[in-house]
Amino acid sequence: MNNVNEQQGTDSLTRLVLRQPDDWHVHFRDDAMLAFAAPYTARQFARAIVMPNLVPPVTTVAAGEAYRNRIMAALPEGSAFTPLMTAYLTDEIDPNEIETGFKNGVFTACKLYPAGATTNSASGVTDVRKIWPVLERMQDIGMLLLVHGEVVSPDIDIFDREAVFLERVLGPVLNDFPALKVVLEHITTEDSVQFVEAAGPNLGATITAHHLRIDRNAMFQGGLRPHAYCLPVAKRRRHREALRKAATSGHPRYFLGTDSAPHPKHEKESACGCAGIFSAPVALESYAQTFEEEGALDRLEAFASEFGPRFYGLPLNEGTVTLNRQPQELPELMGSEEIPVVPFHAGETLSWRFAG
Ligand code: NCD
Ligand code: ZN
Ligand code: ZN
């Protein structure tokens, strides 16, 4: 859509109308947290790829179907939102179960968590070679693989885990399964940007709103800041700059995936705090702010609403959403007394406001 007056830049722009976007990576959780979190995503996005890292994880067709029903039950009656479900890969996963779920329209993709890499990944894959048979099946049936791209070896520095994953795990997977479509989720490094650009058409990547805005210093600003802690952990400033360039470049293999990952406040503010940033309430506003700072508001729509569905082979959404230029202050705390949640941008003022 042509929202940007090329002569004047975007300062005078007061309204931004976009084709309705999708979120290609989100965590909804379950129970009370699901009831709290899911409506924020459903308000801004038509569809979302829902992560399967529940306890226990979503590893069967029945579990995927039941979770999808719980998500719809958490949304207002008649909601047009579509959750796209994913299967959690384990060492023992049965390729037949995956194929059945894909063919029945329950599973859109499979998610690879290296065991121990992140929140609720204990049942993940201990050695990627163990899932070669399921990758082969996925390649045959045209099902996407989504990856949390970090190695877990304790001898690898946490800031290097993504870069080492590219070489040790992702390279061999792409090499052995050239027709498999793979999404490298929530990229955080210049190394990943270079890797994606050098790869063929079957590798895409999601970029979160928060990795475009924070670097590793955010975790140590005047003290320890658990609400800036997520995985993969934010890296040096130059990596954030590479991500901002990539997201706003118009390259069709980068697309929106918030990785909105709510945890109760006390579980983040703890001696062993959880990783995850809850960005769903202002996801689009946050991306819009970054794109505007980069002088690329005219490229937001493609990143948010076109490149994702094209990569997934799904139709583009028909409807539109509107953002108004209207200052919006984020509360310090959201949720309820039982599950207080600190949102991304807490206490800050954003320049755009989602209007529906
Ligand atoms: C996610 C979570 O909390 O489930 N956390 C995070 O920091 N991103 C897991 C993940 O996406 O790795
Ligand atoms: Zn992850
Ligand atoms: Zn995630």
Side-chain angles (χ1 to χ4, degrees), residues 25 111 113 118 148 186 231:
H25 181 140
K111 180 68 191 264
Y113 289 104
T118 188
H148 178 107
H186 47 45
L231 287 168

PDB file of all heavy atoms in Angstrom, residues 25 111 113 118 148 186 231, ligand 2:
ATOM      1  N   HIS A  25       5.823 -16.753  14.623  1.00  0.00           N
ATOM      2  CA  HIS A  25       6.459 -17.425  15.773  1.00  0.00           C
ATOM      3  C   HIS A  25       5.910 -16.807  17.057  1.00  0.00           C
ATOM      4  O   HIS A  25       6.255 -15.688  17.404  1.00  0.00           O
ATOM      5  CB  HIS A  25       7.984 -17.243  15.709  1.00  0.00           C
ATOM      6  CG  HIS A  25       8.731 -17.915  16.824  1.00  0.00           C
ATOM      7  ND1 HIS A  25       9.923 -18.581  16.629  1.00  0.00           N
ATOM      8  CD2 HIS A  25       8.487 -18.030  18.143  1.00  0.00           C
ATOM      9  CE1 HIS A  25      10.357 -19.070  17.765  1.00  0.00           C
ATOM     10  NE2 HIS A  25       9.510 -18.738  18.720  1.00  0.00           N
ATOM     11  N   LYS A 111       8.832 -28.259  14.783  1.00  0.00           N
ATOM     12  CA  LYS A 111       9.792 -27.384  15.460  1.00  0.00           C
ATOM     13  C   LYS A 111      10.927 -28.198  16.056  1.00  0.00           C
ATOM     14  O   LYS A 111      10.694 -29.158  16.800  1.00  0.00           O
ATOM     15  CB  LYS A 111       9.060 -26.620  16.571  1.00  0.00           C
ATOM     16  CG  LYS A 111       9.948 -25.662  17.356  1.00  0.00           C
ATOM     17  CD  LYS A 111      10.401 -24.483  16.509  1.00  0.00           C
ATOM     18  CE  LYS A 111      11.489 -23.685  17.200  1.00  0.00           C
ATOM     19  NZ  LYS A 111      10.995 -22.543  17.929  1.00  0.00           N
ATOM     20  N   TYR A 113      13.814 -28.143  18.619  1.00  0.00           N
ATOM     21  CA  TYR A 113      14.509 -27.545  19.763  1.00  0.00           C
ATOM     22  C   TYR A 113      15.674 -28.452  20.111  1.00  0.00           C
ATOM     23  O   TYR A 113      15.453 -29.596  20.516  1.00  0.00           O
ATOM     24  CB  TYR A 113      13.596 -27.480  20.998  1.00  0.00           C
ATOM     25  CG  TYR A 113      12.484 -26.468  20.928  1.00  0.00           C
ATOM     26  CD1 TYR A 113      11.180 -26.877  20.687  1.00  0.00           C
ATOM     27  CD2 TYR A 113      12.736 -25.116  21.125  1.00  0.00           C
ATOM     28  CE1 TYR A 113      10.143 -25.952  20.641  1.00  0.00           C
ATOM     29  CE2 TYR A 113      11.707 -24.190  21.076  1.00  0.00           C
ATOM     30  CZ  TYR A 113      10.416 -24.612  20.841  1.00  0.00           C
ATOM     31  OH  TYR A 113       9.407 -23.697  20.789  1.00  0.00           O
ATOM     32  N   THR A 118      16.490 -24.004  25.396  1.00  0.00           N
ATOM     33  CA  THR A 118      15.635 -22.878  25.768  1.00  0.00           C
ATOM     34  C   THR A 118      14.496 -23.349  26.669  1.00  0.00           C
ATOM     35  O   THR A 118      14.496 -24.497  27.107  1.00  0.00           O
ATOM     36  CB  THR A 118      15.133 -22.175  24.474  1.00  0.00           C
ATOM     37  OG1 THR A 118      14.446 -20.974  24.812  1.00  0.00           O
ATOM     38  CG2 THR A 118      14.209 -23.070  23.664  1.00  0.00           C
ATOM     39  N   HIS A 148      15.039 -23.677  16.394  1.00  0.00           N
ATOM     40  CA  HIS A 148      15.692 -22.821  17.381  1.00  0.00           C
ATOM     41  C   HIS A 148      17.182 -23.065  17.161  1.00  0.00           C
ATOM     42  O   HIS A 148      17.700 -24.120  17.514  1.00  0.00           O
ATOM     43  CB  HIS A 148      15.264 -23.183  18.811  1.00  0.00           C
ATOM     44  CG  HIS A 148      15.973 -22.338  19.833  1.00  0.00           C
ATOM     45  ND1 HIS A 148      15.347 -21.331  20.529  1.00  0.00           N
ATOM     46  CD2 HIS A 148      17.260 -22.328  20.233  1.00  0.00           C
ATOM     47  CE1 HIS A 148      16.233 -20.727  21.312  1.00  0.00           C
ATOM     48  NE2 HIS A 148      17.401 -21.328  21.165  1.00  0.00           N
ATOM     49  N   HIS A 186      13.911 -16.506  14.966  1.00  0.00           N
ATOM     50  CA  HIS A 186      14.464 -15.431  15.814  1.00  0.00           C
ATOM     51  C   HIS A 186      15.978 -15.236  15.683  1.00  0.00           C
ATOM     52  O   HIS A 186      16.729 -15.414  16.630  1.00  0.00           O
ATOM     53  CB  HIS A 186      14.072 -15.620  17.287  1.00  0.00           C
ATOM     54  CG  HIS A 186      14.256 -17.000  17.882  1.00  0.00           C
ATOM     55  ND1 HIS A 186      15.378 -17.764  17.690  1.00  0.00           N
ATOM     56  CD2 HIS A 186      13.461 -17.718  18.704  1.00  0.00           C
ATOM     57  CE1 HIS A 186      15.244 -18.897  18.368  1.00  0.00           C
ATOM     58  NE2 HIS A 186      14.097 -18.895  18.988  1.00  0.00           N
ATOM     59  N   LEU A 231      16.040 -15.838  24.734  1.00  0.00           N
ATOM     60  CA  LEU A 231      16.943 -16.693  23.974  1.00  0.00           C
ATOM     61  C   LEU A 231      16.517 -16.715  22.516  1.00  0.00           C
ATOM     62  O   LEU A 231      15.312 -16.724  22.254  1.00  0.00           O
ATOM     63  CB  LEU A 231      16.956 -18.111  24.555  1.00  0.00           C
ATOM     64  CG  LEU A 231      17.698 -18.214  25.898  1.00  0.00           C
ATOM     65  CD1 LEU A 231      17.435 -19.555  26.572  1.00  0.00           C
ATOM     66  CD2 LEU A 231      19.207 -17.999  25.716  1.00  0.00           C
TER      67      LEU A 231
HETATM   68 ZN    ZN B   2      13.537 -20.379  20.377  1.00  0.00          ZN
END
